[in-house]
Amino acid sequence: MNQKPSKPTGKPAQKSRPIAENRKARHRFSVLETLECGLALVGSEVKSLRDGKVSLDEAYGRVKDGQVWLVGCDIPEYPNASLWNHEPKRTRKLLMHQREMDRFAGRAKEKGLTLVPLKLYFNERGIAKVLLGLCRGK
């Protein structure tokens, strides 16, 4: 019996699409461990990220009140958002599980360790993610 080959269904597998990478971090720090985190963003920030306009050069992670925050990440205003635009250098909450937060951020309190964003990208589902590294200065 001859059967026709089945056609692939759904969308083809898509890899993550990079937005920005902090190349200087790999030279300034030695990366001990990495963790993928989500970002709490507003709509105009996502539009600006899709345009590829972001700077991670001065950004770092900070543990405050049991939460992890991304400080110093510059996402410029989206020109078409007008009235509902965001503040470019505001602190943004990093989304991770509580056990990850306890383990990862707990180690960041050790002397000489810091949380550094290494890469910002959209995953396969189109959600903005940041690759956060636990780093020691060289």
Side-chain angles (χ1 to χ4, degrees):
M1 295 186 166
N2 278 341
Q3 291 182 353
K4 292 182 180 178
S6 62
K7 292 182 181 178
T9 57
K11 294 181 180 178
Q14 187 181 26
K15 297 184 179 178
S16 62
R17 188 177 66 139
I19 302 168
E21 192 169 346
N22 192 354
R23 292 187 205 143
K24 290 182 182 180
R26 300 270 184 194
H27 297 287
R28 293 179 182 167
F29 301 99
S30 58
V31 180
L32 305 176
E33 193 176 342
T34 60
L35 180 68
E36 180 185 57
C37 306
L39 283 165
L41 300 172
V42 296
S44 61
E45 289 174 326
V46 176
K47 292 278 193 178
S48 190
L49 286 179
R50 292 201 186 278
D51 281 349
K53 298 177 180 174
V54 64
S55 174
L56 290 176
D57 292 339
E58 300 171 2
Y60 60 94
R62 162 121 344 143
V63 180
K64 184 178 178 184
D65 299 329
Q67 300 292 327
V68 182
W69 299 86
L70 183 64
V71 181
C73 178
D74 186 23
I75 301 176
E77 292 182 344
Y78 186 65
N80 296 334
S82 65
L83 180 63
W84 296 279
N85 237 325
H86 61 277
E87 185 181 331
K89 283 215 167 206
R90 74 178 185 95
T91 58
R92 293 161 180 92
K93 186 176 178 181
L94 294 174
L95 307 173
M96 59 180 82
H97 293 285
Q98 186 66 42
R99 65 182 175 275
E100 292 174 338
M101 201 177 309
D102 293 339
R103 181 180 55 85
F104 202 70
R107 287 194 59 199
K109 291 181 181 180
E110 293 178 25
K111 187 174 182 180
L113 295 181
T114 185
L115 297 172
V116 178
L118 302 173
K119 188 181 353 179
L120 189 63
Y121 57 93
F122 287 111
N123 70 357
E124 298 86 22
R125 294 176 26 201
I127 298 171
K129 300 284 186 174
V130 63
L131 184 67
L132 196 65
L134 184 65
C135 302
R136 184 180 308 270
K138 288 186 177 178

